[in-house]
Amino acid sequence: MPHSQSAKKRLRQNVLRRERNRSVKRSLKTQCRKVTDAAKANDVATAETELREAARKLDRAAAHKIIHRNAAARTKSRLSARVKAAKAPAAPA
């Protein structure tokens, strides 16, 4: 346990930030799952709507340094590739 006043305050701040960051990360995972599920179900309209929301949340998390900006870009790229694949007609095998 911290002894000095500054260390006690720092602990309080860290606890609050950790809770906020975990909440944002959980929300990101949920949003990404919504995009993936819609793409798997070939529901293109829903997938595109959810993708826009996911991109917005990823950019906001990256701006607040909750996740790295490259991680946000990579996730957006992968999600958009899934939506694009769902959009394309199934190629004959």
Side-chain angles (χ1 to χ4, degrees):
M1 288 301 296
H3 295 293
S4 66
Q5 284 298 108
S6 60
K8 288 176 185 176
K9 179 178 178 180
R10 178 56 68 190
L11 179 64
R12 287 195 310 268
Q13 289 174 330
N14 287 341
V15 168
L16 282 174
R17 287 193 178 117
R18 183 170 65 241
E19 287 173 3
R20 272 190 216 126
N21 291 345
R22 287 177 73 181
S23 169
V24 170
K25 285 181 182 182
R26 187 74 251 165
S27 147
L28 281 174
K29 285 182 182 182
T30 303
Q31 191 64 39
C32 291
R33 192 167 54 249
K34 285 181 184 177
V35 176
T36 305
D37 291 347
K40 279 183 185 174
N42 286 329
D43 186 0
V44 177
T46 304
E48 286 181 333
T49 305
E50 297 296 343
L51 177 63
R52 276 194 294 277
E53 182 65 21
R56 191 179 72 81
K57 285 185 176 187
L58 285 163
D59 287 337
R60 183 165 290 180
H64 290 123
K65 298 190 172 138
I66 295 170
I67 60 172
H68 196 275
R69 66 184 183 277
N70 290 358
R74 181 176 63 242
T75 306
K76 286 193 306 186
S77 175
R78 288 175 180 169
L79 289 175
S80 63
R82 285 193 177 152
V83 172
K84 185 177 178 183
K87 253 193 248 188

